[in-house]
């Protein structure tokens, strides 16, 4: 038996970045084509092509059963039309793998859905430890005026299924109505039959 060496990764609590991240993923509007509901607003904003969010990966842990991965996500403030900046969202390739999100900064939502289209929205602010149960697709949304930052911890073998959401969308959208965040049904959602 060879034992893995324990380690600590530091998160900068000022901004949620991980200075020694093993990988930083930058997602611009052009990396999220078709995910925001308002295509005309997307086209207008695509000239500017803003960074929507960054993911700071904390480890290079092997993607083996029993291992964990963790990362911070920084979603910048903004909207495409009236829909707030958000992550792409995914199901886990191994659907039975759960995940924990811990909010460090800002305000937003963890938006979840079952494969059948049932929706759940968890409001998050610093201190919120929000649980993604097995089988729920999940995306995070920044509804505040500043950055929305959270730490995510998940099984290393969970994997990503982005295709289902790219093809069918999310059953609900989080939009600004009279300056307030509201969860509304997505008219374009293609439920699994
Ligand atoms: C969290 C975790 C990551 C995920 C990231 C961005 O940090 O859930 O696994 O990659 O959010 O979400 P997405 O992959 O849907 O763009
Ligand atoms: Zn996940």
């Amino acid at each position: 038996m060879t034992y893995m060496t324990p380690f600590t990764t530091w998160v900068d609590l000022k901004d949620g970045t991980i200075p020694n991240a093993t990988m930083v993923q930058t997602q611009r509007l052009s990396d999220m084509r078709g995910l925001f509901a308002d295509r005309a607003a997307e086209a207008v904003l695509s000239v500017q092509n803003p960074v929507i969010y960054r993911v700071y990966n904390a480890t290079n842990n092997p993607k083996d059963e029993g291992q964990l991965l963790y990362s911070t996500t920084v979603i910048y403030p903004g909207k495409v039309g009236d829909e707030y900046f958000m992550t792409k969202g995914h199901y886990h390739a191994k659907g039975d793998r759960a995940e924990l999100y811990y909010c460090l900064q800002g305000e937003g939502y963890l938006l979840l859905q079952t494969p059948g289209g049932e929706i759940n929205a968890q409001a998050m602010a610093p201190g919120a430890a929000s649980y993604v149960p097995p089988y729920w697709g999940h995306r995070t949304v920044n509804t505040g005026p500043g950055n929305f930052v959270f730490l995510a911890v998940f099984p290393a073998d969970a994997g990503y299924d982005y295709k289902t959401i790219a093809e069918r969308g999310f059953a609900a959208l989080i939009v600004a109505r009279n300056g307030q965040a509201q969860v509304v049904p997505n008219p374009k959602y293609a439920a699994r039959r």
Side-chain angles (χ1 to χ4, degrees):
M1 178 79 180
T2 52
Y3 294 98
M4 199 175 150
T5 307
F7 60 90
T8 296
T9 305
W10 290 89
V11 176
D12 185 336
L13 291 176
K14 283 197 310 296
D15 56 11
T17 62
I18 296 180
N20 292 316
T22 54
M23 186 171 57
V24 182
Q25 290 148 295
T26 299
Q27 305 288 5
R28 291 182 175 271
L29 185 60
S30 57
D31 301 307
M32 300 180 71
R33 281 211 179 90
L35 292 180
F36 289 97
D38 185 340
R39 299 298 162 89
E42 184 195 323
V44 171
L45 199 59
S46 67
V47 177
Q48 216 178 304
N49 197 22
V51 175
I52 310 290
Y53 63 102
R54 286 199 171 91
V55 179
Y56 298 83
N57 291 283
T59 84
N60 271 329
N61 287 349
K63 295 186 172 59
D64 297 340
E65 187 176 354
Q67 294 275 2
L68 297 173
L69 296 177
Y70 51 109
S71 53
T72 58
T73 301
V74 178
I75 309 180
Y76 301 100
K79 293 195 281 292
V80 179
D82 60 4
E83 192 177 16
Y84 293 100
F85 282 10
M86 62 188 183
T87 59
K88 290 178 182 172
H90 59 271
Y91 289 89
H92 290 152
K94 287 199 173 156
D96 65 354
R97 296 324 198 232
E99 183 160 2
L100 183 78
Y101 284 174
Y102 183 68
C103 183
L104 301 172
Q105 210 177 88
E107 54 194 272
Y109 280 88
L110 164 62
L111 183 62
L112 308 103
Q113 71 180 13
T114 63
E118 184 189 333
I119 275 287
N120 189 288
Q122 299 293 315
M124 295 184 74
S130 302
Y131 187 58
V132 179
Y135 301 109
W136 287 78
H138 42 288
R139 137 179 308 165
T140 40
V141 184
N142 182 357
T143 57
N147 292 354
F148 175 50
V149 181
F150 61 92
L151 174 81
V153 185
F154 52 100
D157 63 351
Y160 295 92
D161 164 17
Y162 290 107
K163 194 164 164 267
T164 304
I165 287 163
E167 286 174 359
R168 297 169 190 274
F170 244 77
L173 312 173
I174 303 194
V175 296
R177 291 284 148 83
N178 305 316
Q180 293 272 69
Q182 258 189 38
V183 184
V184 300
N186 176 5
K188 289 191 203 149
Y189 175 65
R192 184 172 280 170
R193 282 168 297 156

